[in-house]
Amino acid sequence: MRLKIIFSNPEKYMEVPVNYQRILQGVIYHSLETDEEFQHFIHETGYTYENRRFKAFTFSRLFGKSEFNPKKRTLIFNGPITWYISSAIPKFIHLLGQAFLLKEKIRLHQTDVYLEQLQYEQTPPIHSEKLQIKMLSPVTVYSTFLKDNGKKITQYFDPSDLAFSHLIEENAKKKYEAFFQKPFEGQLKIKPLKVTPKDKVVTKYKDTIINGWNGIYELEGPMDMLEFLYNSAIGSKNSQGFGMFGLLNKYEISH
């Protein structure tokens, strides 16, 4: 289930750092405060698989007319801003929707924005084991290694790497088992359909540099897994604003 939110800004422009995911994540967590027990579960616990925790939600980047300020490394949005939030937990979406509707304004970085439109979007019917998807926030997958000196090193993989599809599948299996409390029986594959060097995104969350990829892909697997991933995202760091996708048809891909 998803929320589509359109914000208006009486000041006509809004300036945010290019690495704004943490700001948006903070808005989400803060908006769950009407149910403190649920807020604590999402923020602190989530769904566990071995030593990994999954929050079962994600969110998109901000969509709207914007200009990049290279000196300040900020984005300046002019006009309405569209934002999507998605979760495999209906309660999560309903609580957020109620919170946004009850607030007169929402603080995004240093600007107050006002709710212009809010839509609840049900999961679209999935009738095929192959989906053509477009990333609404970058997808990222990585492996962490220990060097001889004991320091950790993180290696990110791009969509052309054979490890990319494998890591997407392994991550999806863990999230599925953590959420449904049963193993995933099947295979999941992803392949790039239209991904260029311009789709690479290098961003920072807190003090961590993250490499991700936008672009268009084919996602293949059992329909229940595809539906789950539509709501909870693919790849890693979903609750930090990575891995959200929308569905495409063939016409949109070829044009």
Side-chain angles (χ1 to χ4, degrees):
M1 195 173 184
R2 291 186 171 179
L3 282 179
K4 178 183 179 182
I5 305 162
I6 300 178
F7 294 118
S8 63
N9 177 12
E11 297 180 19
K12 303 301 181 186
Y13 74 93
M14 181 188 74
E15 188 171 13
V16 293
V18 290
N19 305 315
Y20 56 71
Q21 289 95 335
R22 192 179 180 191
I23 295 170
L24 299 182
Q25 187 189 53
V27 169
I28 291 173
Y29 282 136
H30 183 70
S31 298
L32 295 174
E33 64 185 1
T34 54
D35 189 328
E36 291 184 358
E37 183 178 350
F38 183 74
Q39 182 192 48
H40 183 270
F41 169 75
I42 292 295
H43 190 273
E44 301 295 336
T45 307
Y47 299 88
T48 57
Y49 178 91
E50 296 177 350
N51 63 338
R52 302 285 299 277
R53 295 180 180 182
F54 304 102
K55 307 297 181 68
F57 81 87
T58 191
F59 54 91
S60 74
R61 60 188 185 274
L62 298 175
F63 296 96
K65 293 180 180 179
S66 65
E67 297 177 3
F68 175 58
N69 184 328
K71 290 185 178 180
K72 297 172 66 177
R73 292 197 55 77
T74 59
L75 290 172
I76 301 172
F77 285 87
N78 297 283
I81 301 163
T82 301
W83 184 32
Y84 297 91
I85 305 171
S86 185
S87 178
I89 314 166
K91 179 179 179 179
F92 180 95
I93 296 298
H94 287 300
L95 279 175
L96 280 182
Q98 291 169 10
F100 288 134
L101 287 170
L102 290 173
K103 290 180 179 179
E104 179 185 352
K105 57 189 176 183
I106 294 169
R107 190 77 169 171
L108 284 182
H109 193 45
Q110 297 174 348
T111 306
D112 290 331
V113 293
Y114 295 79
L115 183 68
E116 183 174 301
Q117 185 177 329
L118 185 144
Q119 294 179 11
Y120 291 94
E121 296 186 346
Q122 299 295 329
T123 306
I126 294 176
H127 302 301
S128 170
E129 293 192 344
K130 286 186 179 181
L131 299 180
Q132 294 162 338
I133 66 171
K134 182 175 183 178
M135 301 313 301
L136 301 180
S137 57
V139 55
T140 183
V141 287
Y142 61 92
S143 292
T144 303
F145 307 95
L146 276 178
K147 297 175 70 175
D148 293 338
N149 60 7
K151 291 189 67 175
K152 287 185 178 181
I153 183 170
T154 300
Q155 179 178 353
Y156 289 92
F157 297 92
D158 66 59
S160 64
D161 197 302
L162 291 176
F164 184 84
S165 182
H166 171 71
L167 291 172
I168 292 282
E169 180 184 38
E170 290 301 303
N171 175 273
K173 286 180 177 179
K174 293 173 183 177
K175 288 188 291 204
Y176 184 97
E177 184 166 337
F179 189 80
F180 292 107
Q181 293 297 297
K182 63 178 183 180
F184 169 65
E185 304 292 345
Q187 287 187 314
L188 182 76
K189 299 177 182 179
I190 186 171
K191 67 177 182 180
L193 297 180
K194 189 177 179 182
V195 181
T196 71
K198 291 182 179 180
D199 288 310
K200 184 175 182 179
V201 177
V202 180
T203 187
K204 181 184 286 188
Y205 180 87
K206 296 183 180 178
D207 294 322
T208 302
I209 300 294
I210 301 170
N211 294 340
W213 290 84
N214 290 315
I216 294 170
Y217 303 81
E218 180 181 85
L219 191 62
E220 180 180 357
M223 287 181 280
D224 66 329
M225 171 61 94
L226 297 180
E227 180 178 320
F228 172 65
L229 294 175
Y230 177 84
N231 288 316
S232 60
I234 59 174
S236 302
K237 302 184 182 294
N238 304 143
S239 64
Q240 296 174 17
F242 292 86
M244 186 178 188
F245 62 84
L247 304 186
L248 283 182
N249 59 40
K250 291 182 180 178
Y251 179 84
E252 291 171 299
I253 289 180
S254 60
H255 292 72

